[in-house]
Amino acid sequence: SRTSDLKGGTISRNRQIAIRILNGKDRSPKLDVVLLNAGTILYVSGKTKSIVEGTRLAKQALYSRSASKLLRQLVKLSHDSN
């Protein structure tokens, strides 16, 4: 893949990309980067024994829609607190 495949854009475009990833509708290199970043965070935080295991766990969260559900809950909480 090319670095241009990873490029975002405007706030609106980046939001669309994030929603597509969370809804399991993006299979681009952007998804790979999201999974690798999430896997690394899970490993560094001690939740998994390796980045590979963390990446697998992140993939499960995305495909089970857990990540999407959590985001919706966070958005609701942030709107309710205003």
Side-chain angles (χ1 to χ4, degrees):
S1 68
R2 301 178 313 260
T3 55
S4 61
D5 294 335
L6 301 175
K7 188 174 180 177
T10 64
I11 292 171
S12 176
R13 176 69 183 130
N14 291 343
R15 179 179 179 271
Q16 289 173 349
I17 292 168
I19 289 170
R20 285 185 53 78
I21 289 171
L22 286 170
N23 287 332
K25 295 182 179 178
D26 189 310
R27 305 275 192 233
S28 75
K30 291 176 183 79
L31 171 62
D32 298 335
V33 170
V34 168
L35 292 174
L36 182 59
N37 285 340
T40 302
I41 290 167
L42 290 167
Y43 169 67
V44 170
S45 68
K47 302 293 183 195
T48 61
K49 294 180 182 180
S50 69
I51 293 173
V52 171
E53 183 183 337
T55 302
R56 281 191 204 119
L57 188 60
K59 187 181 277 190
Q60 287 175 347
L62 274 177
Y63 294 145
S64 71
R65 307 288 289 224
S66 296
S68 181
K69 290 173 190 172
L70 180 58
L71 178 62
R72 282 195 301 276
Q73 290 171 350
L74 290 171
V75 168
K76 184 178 181 334
L77 281 173
S78 71
H79 288 160
D80 289 348
S81 67
N82 289 331

